[in-house]
Amino acid sequence: MFLKVVANPHAEGRLTRTVMYEAAPGQVYAIDAERLHIEPNLLDEFAEGAALKVRMLDYAAYFVLVASVLASFFAVFWLFMPGVAACALMLSVNRKSAGEIARRAARRSSDSFRQLHEMGLLWLVPAR
C-alpha cells in the first residue's frame, strides 16, 4: 500500500497524502506524509538526522531532473521524459519514507504518538 489521500481534520478538512497506521484492529490512524515531506525538520524530534535524509533525497531527485533536461539538449531530445518520471517517483517514495519515520516513532512510544497528534500530523480515520 502506498500513500492514501485522506481529509485532515486539523487543517479544515484539506485533502493530504497520508501513511495509514493501524494501532489495533478497526482503529486506523492517518499520518500526514505530505506535510512531513514539506517540513522535514518536524521529523528530527523522532529520528536523528531524518530531516537531512529527506532533504538530500529531494536534492537527488531534482538533480536527476536537471541532468535529464540538460542531457536532452546535448543527446536525444526525449531524454528528459525518463528524468521527469524518475524525479516524480523519487519524490513520491521520499514522501512515503517521511511518513514511515513518523509511523515507526508512533509505534515505538506513546509520547511520540501524542506529540504527532498534538502537531496535527496524526488523526483517527473514521470507519466507513
Side-chain angles (χ1 to χ4, degrees):
M1 182 162 134
F2 215 60
L3 298 173
K4 185 174 180 183
V5 177
V6 177
N8 185 345
H10 299 288
E12 293 104 27
R14 173 182 58 89
L15 294 177
T16 186
R17 293 180 192 107
T18 62
V19 171
M20 304 310 284
Y21 166 51
E22 188 168 359
Q27 191 178 30
V28 179
Y29 292 93
I31 297 173
D32 193 346
E34 190 164 359
R35 183 164 162 221
L36 287 169
H37 183 245
I38 292 169
E39 301 174 41
N41 54 343
L42 297 173
L43 290 169
D44 277 340
E45 297 180 33
F46 308 110
E48 186 175 328
L52 180 64
K53 175 187 167 191
V54 170
R55 284 192 181 106
M56 286 299 134
L57 291 174
D58 277 351
Y59 292 145
Y62 294 132
F63 176 77
V64 167
L65 176 65
V66 169
S68 68
V69 169
L70 290 175
S72 69
F73 285 115
F74 298 111
V76 186
F77 77 93
W78 54 264
L79 204 54
F80 73 94
M81 289 186 282
V84 169
C87 179
L89 181 65
M90 290 171 73
L91 289 174
S92 181
V93 168
N94 197 17
R95 188 174 294 118
K96 180 170 168 68
S97 70
E100 291 291 333
I101 292 169
R103 178 166 54 181
R104 282 193 299 271
R107 282 187 177 157
R108 192 177 23 219
S109 154
S110 60
D111 289 335
S112 297
F113 184 90
R114 181 187 48 78
Q115 190 174 7
L116 282 166
H117 179 68
E118 288 173 357
M119 292 166 65
L121 298 170
L122 181 137
W123 62 92
L124 182 66
V125 177
R128 292 184 183 162

